Structure formats: C-alpha cells, structure tokens
Amino acid sequence: MDVLTKQLQIAELAAARPEESFTSLNHYLDMDWMKEAYRRTRRESAAGVDGKTMEQYGKELESNLRDLIGRAKSGRYHAPPVRRVHIPKGDGKETRPIGIPTTEDKVLQRAITMLLEPIYEQEFKEFSFGFRPGRSAHDGLKYLWKQCMDNQVRWIVDVDIRSYFDTLDHAKLREIVSQRVRDGVVRRLIDKWLKAGVMEAGELRYREKGTPQGGVVSPILSNIYLHEVLDKWFAHEVKACLKGRAFLVRYADDFVMGFECEQDAQRVYAVLPKRFGKYGLNLHPTKTRLIAFGRPCSEQEGGKRTTDQGESTFDFLGFTHYWGKTRKGGYAVKRKTATKRMSRGLKAINQWLQSHLHLPIRDQWEKLKQKLHGHFAYYGITGNAEALERFRDTVKRLWHKWLNRRSGQSAGMTWDRFEELLTRFYPLPPAKVVHSVYAAKS
C-alpha cells in the first residue's frame, strides 16, 4: 500500500468518525512513509546545528531512516536545538529571525505532518486557506471577494493577533490535539518539538510558548490551534447568535470577518479579546479595527449613502480592499497592492541594485526580470493593473538611477541611452494580470 493510499485511508476514517481520537497512528511510519517524507523535504534547505545537509543525509538514506524510525517509536529520539539566524526584511534595514532544524528533524516533522493532514483536513473549515494542501492566498482572496459581493456586507472586523506564532500556549495545544490524536508516539514527538531549544550565537535557550521554530510541523499545529480558538467557535456558536449574514476568511493567523448588521459586528468585536485571551492570545489594540464597509449606492440604484455605508478600506493578504465603480455604473469590491507591500518590494529591489552595482548589465537584467515576474505572479489580479504599472515604472527608474552612478562612465547613463538599451537589448517584462478574482463569481 503506497503512502497516498494510506493517507486516503486515514482521511476516510477521520471523516467517518469525527468524534473519535486516533490511538494508533505510528504503525504508518514505515520505510516507505519515511522515504516519502524525505522526498517532500526541500533539498535546498539549510543545515541545522549538526551541519548535515539533505544531500549528506541521503547518502546512507536507508540506514539513517531505519535508525530514525527506531528512535522515534521507542522514545529515544531527542529533538535537537533549532539553529536561529536573522535574515534581512524587505527594506534591508531590519531583520527577521528564522529557525532552522536539523535535516533529520525536518524529515521526521514532515512524516508526522503527513499523518496529521488527512485527519484535520476533514475538520478544517472552507474559509481557512493558509498552510493547507491545494489552497492558496489567491483562493482566499477569491473567497473574500465573493462573500463581500454576495452577503450585503456593511462592516468588517480586521483582526491582528499579536505575535501569534511566539505566544501559542503549549498546554492548550496539547489539550486540543488530544481531542483527535492520542497516539503516544505522535504526541510524544510533538511535545519534544515544543520543548526543543533555540541555539543563537552559541547560546541555548528554551521557550515556554510558541510553535516549533522553523519547524515543518509548525504550520499544521498553528492551524489546529486557530481551528479550535476561532474557526469552530465562529461557525458553530457565533453565527447561530447573529441577526444578519456574516462570514470569516482566514489565512494562517491573518483573518477578517464581515457582517451585514452593525449590532452583530459590534458584539463580536467586543467579545473577540476575551475569546482569544482564554487561549493565551492577545489582539493588537490599535491594529484590530471595526470598519464601515458598506456598498455605496449608485445613481442607477436611486439610493443615497447612509451613515453605515463607509468608504473605509482594509488590507488583507497584501491588498487594499475598497469599493469602486464598475463600467456599468454599479459598485464592486476592488483591490490594489497595499501601500506597505508596494514600498517594501521597491525598497528590496533598490537595496539589491545598490549592493549588486558591480554586476554586468545583463546579469542585473536577468535578476530584475525574475523579481518583476515574481511580483506580477502574486499581485497580478484583475483591477490592479495601475499598481502593477507603477511598480514596474519605479523599478525601471531605480535601475536607471543606479546604472547612472556606476564608475567609469564619464557621461553617465543618460535616460535616452537607457531607454535604447531597454528597447534593443534588455526589455523589462510588461505588467501582467495573472489571476482573475472575478472568476470566483461563476
């Protein structure tokens, strides 16, 4: 029986017995399962504290995995410390800490994730999109657009969980996981990863809260936690008490709620801090907002704007969402690249150009093409063409600025010469809409 068939078997059992816990899962952790876990682990991932790369681990894969299985099932496996490094943020000035587990730890975490996914995919709600197989941020954007358009939304609750991945309560997580998973091997491994230390600058520290630093298993654990804290609560308790229509859309720890009635929005907005506080989480007091977001009345509809139909906007998944006029004179929810994301992307490119000024023009061009294609691949959605063009134009001007500063050019890089180079040899890719949000309407 191959791994996919085994996962389908687990999924069928989970769907058929939604109230039962799995007490025997570790028998799936055989050589075929571990080889597949190794195959699904990124080859280019950095080495952990032991310095062993994926390639080195794979040279004696059979014996390494056999030994790993034995230690994991017998309880002799010890989760090694996570190596912590800091990488530059988009502006090039600040850094973001990331954790790097050892190669062996990554493989074992992947194997456990492969056990948990088929169980919890039967429970996770349709409005949850982050860190789930077959779902993407653009799926979340389409879902949000359709909900706003179809449900007469007038109010948005935009929520920011303060340091979610660093403050998740270990005891609560164990309690939540035990509702569905009671296999001793799996539970023991999760507990060891939660307790694993963090090695930074030669100093070992232990954390009492948060998901495993940089761990492959962290995304699904964080989803399991918020599924209990938020998703189930909203779907089964909150919606039953509301007067009007409402929706929730969540991507990892980023989520918004939409409401038809102001009273519903006010009540949920007021109770959210208490709900999250019960699970050891805090909402950011200034970034969590209640926003008037009603559809404006067009002249064709013969209506006037009322006090609850605001012109406010909110940001979600890198886009600013707002009501705008359609070609037919009505209104629709539109979106454009969020200002912070635009600035961050341009700062990153400016930083790269400055630090790679010595490269040949062709090499710079190849890299800039990659960066532009990557930007368009995410932000290229219907209605965002103006922001895409602005981004491309600014990149073009930044490139000219830094080429003009290169040494050894007495006359510098004039704009006319630069335009000629772009036209004849180094054309930048045009702004391109890749995703049609309005396809969600069909």
Side-chain angles (χ1 to χ4, degrees):
M1 189 185 300
D2 62 21
V3 172
L4 180 58
T5 302
K6 293 175 183 177
Q7 286 185 304
L8 290 173
Q9 185 182 70
I10 296 171
E12 289 173 359
L13 286 171
R17 304 172 184 175
E19 303 300 324
E20 294 184 20
S21 299
F22 284 78
T23 57
S24 180
L25 285 169
N26 72 84
H27 66 277
Y28 289 105
L29 298 176
D30 56 16
M31 184 61 70
D32 289 338
W33 191 280
M34 298 304 293
K35 283 184 177 179
E36 179 64 16
Y38 175 81
R39 188 189 69 81
R40 295 187 189 185
T41 304
R42 287 174 43 218
R43 292 291 178 272
E44 67 276 13
S45 57
V49 293
D50 62 353
K52 184 173 289 187
T53 65
M54 286 288 292
E55 182 180 359
Q56 291 170 333
Y57 191 82
K59 288 181 179 179
E60 298 180 12
L61 187 61
E62 291 267 352
S63 60
N64 284 335
L65 292 180
R66 191 173 296 108
D67 178 64
L68 178 57
I69 293 170
R71 285 182 288 128
K73 292 189 177 184
S74 67
R76 293 181 292 110
Y77 183 80
H78 297 286
V82 173
R83 181 167 68 91
R84 194 175 191 180
V85 298
H86 293 262
I87 60 172
K89 285 187 177 181
D91 57 11
K93 297 178 181 179
E94 299 181 5
T95 61
R96 177 184 294 107
I98 61 168
I100 305 175
T102 64
T103 293
E104 184 175 67
D105 212 37
K106 293 171 189 171
V107 173
L108 187 54
Q109 288 194 34
R110 175 62 65 191
I112 297 302
T113 300
M114 289 160 52
L115 283 176
L116 296 176
E117 274 184 351
I119 297 173
Y120 285 98
E121 278 299 313
Q122 311 312 307
E123 296 193 18
F124 289 159
K125 302 300 181 182
E126 75 281 356
F127 50 75
S128 168
F129 293 91
F131 304 138
R132 293 183 60 188
R135 288 175 166 241
S136 69
H138 289 101
D139 293 327
L141 289 167
K142 290 177 182 178
Y143 182 88
L144 172 59
W145 185 87
K146 184 170 176 58
Q147 293 296 315
C148 286
M149 293 296 294
D150 293 350
N151 287 315
Q152 297 182 12
V153 169
R154 291 184 172 87
W155 298 89
I156 292 288
V157 176
D158 182 17
V159 183
D160 183 276
I161 308 174
R162 177 178 279 171
S163 303
Y164 170 64
F165 296 100
D166 294 328
T167 58
L168 181 150
D169 187 278
H170 290 176
K172 292 288 187 183
L173 176 61
R174 294 186 191 100
E175 182 183 322
I176 293 168
V177 171
S178 69
Q179 295 174 14
R180 287 297 264 159
V181 178
R182 294 191 178 180
D183 180 283
V185 171
V186 176
R187 296 287 306 282
R188 187 166 55 236
L189 286 171
I190 292 175
D191 201 46
K192 289 182 177 183
W193 287 320
L194 292 174
K195 294 178 180 178
V198 177
M199 179 72 73
E200 183 176 7
E203 184 177 353
L204 182 60
R205 297 180 180 180
Y206 293 92
R207 292 152 42 99
E208 297 180 355
K209 296 182 178 181
T211 56
Q213 285 274 304
V216 176
V217 77
S218 292
I220 192 165
L221 291 180
S222 65
N223 258 345
I224 291 170
Y225 202 75
L226 278 183
H227 174 69
E228 181 71 24
V229 176
L230 176 66
D231 300 356
K232 285 172 60 177
W233 174 70
F234 180 82
H236 303 307
E237 298 182 39
V238 173
K239 291 190 75 173
C241 301
L242 302 180
K243 293 183 176 180
R245 287 174 286 187
F247 73 85
L248 165 66
V249 57
R250 180 172 69 82
Y251 190 92
D253 64 327
D254 192 6
F255 71 94
V256 295
M257 296 171 162
F259 298 90
E260 181 182 4
C261 300
E262 179 181 4
Q263 184 180 0
D264 291 338
Q266 293 281 6
R267 289 172 60 199
V268 175
Y269 180 67
V271 79
L272 272 174
K274 298 176 184 177
R275 175 66 183 179
F276 277 77
K278 179 181 176 182
Y279 290 86
L281 301 173
N282 295 300
L283 304 185
H284 199 291
T286 58
K287 294 182 180 179
T288 299
R289 305 177 300 151
L290 175 59
I291 304 162
F293 194 71
R295 181 199 300 261
C297 294
S298 67
E299 293 181 4
Q300 289 182 4
E301 294 168 334
K304 294 183 179 180
R305 187 184 305 278
T306 60
T307 56
D308 68 342
Q309 291 173 318
E311 295 183 2
S312 298
T313 65
F314 67 93
D315 290 352
F316 184 66
L317 296 180
F319 292 89
T320 296
H321 301 254
Y322 64 100
W323 285 99
K325 273 280 188 81
T326 65
R327 293 181 179 179
K328 295 182 178 180
Y331 283 90
V333 173
K334 297 188 175 183
R335 60 280 315 278
K336 59 186 177 181
T337 308
T339 301
K340 287 184 179 179
R341 291 291 188 94
M342 176 79 80
S343 299
R344 190 171 73 185
L346 291 172
K347 284 181 180 179
I349 289 179
N350 186 63
Q351 180 77 16
W352 186 89
L353 286 168
Q354 182 181 12
S355 59
H356 293 81
L357 195 61
H358 60 284
L359 290 180
I361 293 180
R362 175 166 290 277
D363 292 347
Q364 293 184 25
W365 173 61
E366 292 288 353
K367 192 65 177 181
L368 286 178
K369 284 197 302 179
Q370 293 177 17
K371 292 179 179 294
L372 284 171
H373 281 308
H375 184 85
F376 299 152
Y378 185 78
Y379 294 100
I381 67 174
T382 305
N384 197 35
E386 182 180 341
L388 299 179
E389 289 286 358
R390 190 164 67 251
F391 187 88
R392 180 185 183 276
D393 185 64
T394 306
V395 169
K396 175 181 171 181
R397 293 180 182 279
L398 287 172
W399 194 21
H400 172 257
K401 179 188 76 173
W402 288 109
L403 286 179
N404 195 40
R405 296 184 183 184
R406 283 165 68 115
S407 59
Q409 298 183 24
S410 57
M413 175 68 72
T414 65
W415 185 258
D416 287 343
R417 184 187 174 198
F418 177 66
E419 288 277 20
E420 183 181 0
L421 283 173
L422 261 60
T423 302
R424 296 183 59 186
F425 305 109
Y426 309 116
L428 294 176
K432 184 179 180 182
V433 171
V434 180
H435 307 275
S436 175
V437 176
Y438 303 116
K441 191 173 182 179
S442 58

